[in-house]
């Protein structure tokens, strides 16, 4: 019997890429590949790339430089290492990758990776192969389901893609070009996927999509279901105790979503709602299709539905035309809303987007300075939010063993990492924890049931969501 071929995937960027990487593992697993953590040992290395900012794209070429050496070394040892580039850089710059990087054997876009086995075969025959079409068929219909053992190994928290692509065409963003038009998966297909995950130990679901609350998949009644209705249906599936969704556009928050937050205890009161800027002038130049007033209105509707709701967001500083006054309006909005966390980025012109044609007006030094000021404000809000948990009881869904012996790590409703000393049996359960202290972004505490008990010190890790 031939030994299994080894596959190494390195994923960059958003949650969609994390999900896609898992589905590539499932697809190639059916072809006899097993995952390896070391690129040097692999027969096939896939870089699952991100094109959202210039820095993200550049990483591909520097990584390919490293892989060129690994491939040469494998060849010296008599092994044929294949290199594939997938994801949004593959979609946007496929031909250029083939031209610039002879080390690459295969280029496959985010809508075509279900064809990976076929494309690899073509590369074996023809030397190199590229597939970046937006095929008319639904890739999900072709992707093999993950094996029960793989689901268990991936842990109790899973991403499920319910929607892909984006029709919003914000002036700065490559997503509509790399991921294509908005498409929603049918409700029944998602329900089947989720039942399979829940049967194999998954307790928390994050429904993902580039613009997830534009979801409008076909329901079992033949009608188009909004995200809120889908969430209500998924909450009925035995085993699923927590639901989340990301990333939302402020304009697509409808009554069904607000109602789901009001009615569903399983729907976590933490919403990632990017605003990008606090200036109407800049929002209009960005073609965001909402004003600051619209955004605040949406926040108020969420807050009226659920008092304990908290928000995170994305911001871009230094968009063409942004003045100090526009930037001050962003700081003012952040101060008004009060975020639990947020991501902020320097504007990066992306080829092919309308904003790339605009004259850049903010100097690199001003951009840096604005980013620092914004991040300082966001950090202070995040620290205040985390500190407010000290001395309170919070529900934690426990996920895995921590770095220190006897330590178990979970997440609160707001995705704050929480650490307790406890037995492994609590993994997969939601239990109340009394928070004693904070270490950077992590809450340290004791299980309510085992109090009084030892407290512990631990290594903190930063909450990561969205972006
Ligand atoms: N669909 C989401 C939305 O509407 O907000 C966001 C998708 S995008 C993957 C994640 C974030 O990257 C955006 O919210 C934005 O802040 C940032 N981003 C996108 N294009 C960018 C660019 N050209 N320069 C800097 N940041 C950018
Ligand atoms: Fe990009 Fe989000 Fe705007 Fe769509 S809504 S174009 S994904 S920033």
């Amino acid at each position: 019997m031939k030994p299994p071929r080894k596959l190494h995937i390195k994923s960059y960027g958003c949650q969609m890429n994390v999900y896609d990487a898992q589905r590539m593992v499932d697809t190639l697993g059916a072809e006899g590949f097993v995952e390896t953590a070391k690129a040097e040992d692999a027969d096939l290395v896939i870089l699952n790339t991100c094109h959202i900012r210039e820095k993200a794209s550049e990483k591909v070429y520097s990584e390919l430089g490293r892989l060129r050496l690994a491939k040469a070394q494998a060849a010296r040892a008599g092994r044929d290492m294949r290199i594939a580039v997938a994801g949004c850089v593959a979609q946007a710059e496929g031909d250029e990758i083939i031209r610039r990087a002879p080390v690459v054997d295969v280029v496959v876009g985010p809508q075509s990776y279900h064809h990976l086995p076929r494309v690899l075969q073509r590369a074996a025959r023809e030397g190199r192969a590229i597939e970046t079409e937006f095929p008319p068929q639904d890739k999900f219909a072709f992707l093999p389901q993950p094996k029960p053992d793989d689901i268990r190994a991936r842990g109790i928290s899973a991403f499920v893609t319910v929607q892909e692509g984006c029709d919003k065409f914000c002036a700065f963003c490559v997503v509509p070009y790399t991921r294509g038009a908005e498409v929603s998966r049918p409700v029944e297909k998602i329900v089947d996927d989720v039942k399979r995950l829940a049967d194999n130990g998954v307790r928390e679901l994050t429904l993902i999509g580039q613009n997830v609350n534009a979801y409008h998949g076909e329901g079992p009644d033949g009608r188009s279901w909004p995200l809120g209705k889908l969430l209500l249906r998924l909450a009925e599936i035995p085993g699923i105790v927590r639901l989340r969704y990301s990333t939302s556009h402020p304009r697509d928050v409808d009554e069904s979503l607000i109602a789901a937050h009001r009615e569903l205890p399983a729907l976590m009161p933490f919403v990632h709602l990017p605003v990008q800027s606090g200036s109407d002038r800049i929002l209009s130049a960005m073609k965001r299709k909402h004003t600051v007033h619209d955004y605040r209105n949406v926040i108020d509707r969420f807050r009226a539905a659920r008092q304990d709701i908290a928000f995170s967001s994305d911001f871009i500083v230094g968009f063409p035309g942004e003045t100090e006054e526009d930037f001050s309006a962003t700081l003012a909005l952040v101060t008004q809303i009060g975020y639990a966390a947020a991501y902020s980025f320097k504007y990066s012109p992306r080829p092919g987007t309308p904003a790339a044609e605009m004259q850049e007006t903010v100097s690199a030094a001003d951009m840096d300075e604005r980013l620092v000021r914004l991040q300082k404000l966001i950090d202070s809000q995040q620290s205040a939010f985390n500190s407010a948990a000290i001395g309170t009881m919070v529900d934690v869904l426990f996920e895995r063993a921590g770095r220190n012996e006897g330590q178990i790590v979970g997440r609160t409703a707001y995705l704050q990492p929480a650490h307790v000393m406890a037995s492994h049996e609590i993994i997969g359960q939601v239990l109340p924890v009394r928070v004693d202290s904070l270490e950077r972004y992590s809450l340290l505490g004791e299980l309510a049931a085992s109090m009084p008990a030892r407290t512990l010190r631990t290594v903190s890790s930063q909450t990561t969501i969205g972006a």
Side-chain angles (χ1 to χ4, degrees):
M1 211 171 77
K2 277 209 304 197
R5 286 175 293 171
K6 290 186 188 163
L7 163 69
H8 177 81
I9 301 196
K10 187 162 181 179
S11 225
Y12 302 84
C14 67
Q15 295 161 335
M16 304 288 295
N17 267 11
V18 176
Y19 175 86
D20 288 345
Q22 287 178 352
R23 301 312 304 261
M24 287 183 221
V25 171
D26 299 335
T27 303
L28 293 167
E31 303 288 313
F33 280 92
V34 293
E35 247 188 308
T36 171
K38 279 196 185 156
E40 309 79 61
D41 292 348
D43 300 297
L44 172 63
V45 178
I46 302 178
L47 300 183
N48 193 24
T49 60
C50 171
H51 195 56
I52 201 81
R53 284 168 290 277
E54 193 181 356
K55 256 196 182 150
S57 291
E58 276 170 1
K59 285 186 189 155
V60 183
Y61 292 101
S62 48
E63 190 61 36
L64 285 174
R66 279 190 284 277
L67 287 175
R68 192 164 54 82
L69 302 178
K71 187 171 179 163
Q73 202 164 16
R76 282 196 293 278
R79 281 196 306 117
D80 179 24
M81 181 192 272
R82 301 254 131 185
I83 313 282
V85 178
C88 290
V89 181
Q91 188 64 44
E93 297 178 11
D95 292 329
E96 197 183 336
I97 293 169
I98 288 287
R99 195 172 47 76
R100 261 178 75 177
V103 68
V104 173
D105 302 291
V106 161
V107 170
V108 68
Q111 301 306 345
S112 343
Y113 66 76
H114 53 300
H115 291 320
L116 256 171
R118 199 181 74 191
V119 185
L120 284 167
Q121 278 168 14
R122 211 168 81 219
R125 272 197 320 271
E126 297 168 14
R128 304 172 91 188
I130 175 164
E131 185 148 334
T132 51
E133 299 299 303
F134 287 106
Q137 77 286 73
D138 170 17
K139 78 169 172 242
F140 292 94
F142 291 82
L143 291 169
Q145 286 292 347
K147 296 190 200 102
D149 284 351
D150 287 338
I151 298 175
R152 289 182 185 280
R154 288 169 191 167
I156 55 128
S157 191
F159 293 137
V160 175
T161 294
V162 299
Q163 179 277 337
E164 280 203 285
C166 184
D167 294 344
K168 288 283 183 295
F169 289 93
C170 298
F172 51 80
C173 185
V174 289
V175 167
Y177 311 96
T178 57
R179 291 272 176 170
E182 244 174 56
V183 181
S184 297
R185 297 181 61 206
V187 171
E188 299 278 78
K189 294 261 167 46
I190 298 167
V191 167
D192 286 350
D193 285 2
V194 172
K195 280 185 179 158
R196 190 179 170 89
L197 293 170
D199 285 349
N200 290 290
V202 167
R203 296 290 164 260
E204 177 178 66
L205 284 183
T206 304
L207 309 187
I208 54 174
Q210 265 84 30
N211 189 4
V212 71
N213 60 330
Y215 178 82
H216 57 274
E218 188 188 343
D221 52 6
R223 295 176 179 218
S224 161
W225 281 29
L227 183 65
K229 197 165 173 183
L230 174 68
L231 285 161
L232 291 178
R233 172 69 188 92
L234 298 180
E236 290 168 0
I237 295 174
I240 297 302
V241 296
R242 280 186 171 183
L243 289 165
R244 304 178 184 276
Y245 57 90
S246 188
T247 293
S248 301
H249 191 285
R251 206 183 137 112
D252 292 328
V253 175
D254 66 1
E255 268 319 301
S256 89
L257 192 56
I258 301 285
H261 276 282
R262 196 182 301 117
E263 291 162 26
L264 269 184
L267 182 55
M268 292 296 98
F270 190 35
V271 178
H272 185 59
L273 197 65
V275 63
Q276 316 298 353
S277 169
S279 154
D280 279 342
R281 223 174 57 78
I282 295 299
L283 288 176
S284 162
M286 286 176 165
K287 303 253 177 306
R288 279 289 292 179
K289 303 183 174 70
H290 63 81
T291 62
V292 173
H293 175 78
D294 297 335
Y295 184 79
R296 281 208 301 255
N297 225 356
V298 171
I299 296 266
D300 289 347
R301 282 161 64 211
F302 274 116
R303 283 185 170 148
R306 197 155 168 177
Q307 281 176 1
D308 60 350
I309 205 158
F311 298 93
S312 61
S313 193
D314 292 343
F315 296 90
I316 295 178
V317 301
F319 188 77
E322 186 189 73
T323 61
E324 181 56 34
E325 202 183 345
D326 294 315
F327 178 66
S328 298
T330 299
L331 294 179
L333 180 67
V334 174
T335 305
Q336 260 169 18
I337 304 283
Y339 289 99
Y343 298 89
S344 41
F345 312 100
K346 285 190 274 186
Y347 168 68
S348 166
R350 306 309 294 129
T353 61
E357 306 295 314
M358 297 177 190
Q359 164 109 40
E360 285 192 59
T361 57
V362 185
S363 70
D366 283 349
M367 243 193 242
D368 284 340
E369 193 253 347
R370 286 179 195 172
L371 189 71
V372 168
R373 278 158 70 200
L374 178 57
Q375 288 185 339
K376 213 166 141 198
L377 178 59
I378 291 165
D379 270 1
S380 71
Q381 293 192 340
Q382 186 167 11
S383 297
F385 184 81
N386 288 341
S387 299
I390 297 173
T392 67
M393 298 283 277
V394 297
D395 281 344
V396 174
L397 172 58
F398 287 97
E399 291 176 1
R400 59 185 167 83
R403 289 191 200 170
N404 300 346
E405 196 170 334
Q407 182 189 72
I408 306 291
V409 187
R411 297 244 177 204
T412 69
Y414 306 105
L415 288 174
Q416 298 148 298
H419 303 244
V420 299
M421 295 300 265
S423 85
H424 277 228
E425 280 150 36
I426 68 166
I427 291 174
Q429 295 181 42
V430 178
L431 295 170
V433 168
R434 197 195 68 203
V435 181
D436 296 327
S437 60
L438 187 63
E439 203 171 277
R440 268 181 68 74
Y441 298 96
S442 294
L443 308 180
L444 311 184
E446 299 161 33
L447 277 183
S450 66
M451 276 190 272
R454 298 169 287 165
T455 53
L456 75 161
R457 294 185 65 72
T458 185
V459 183
S460 69
S461 60
Q462 186 167 4
T463 307
T464 51
I465 34 160

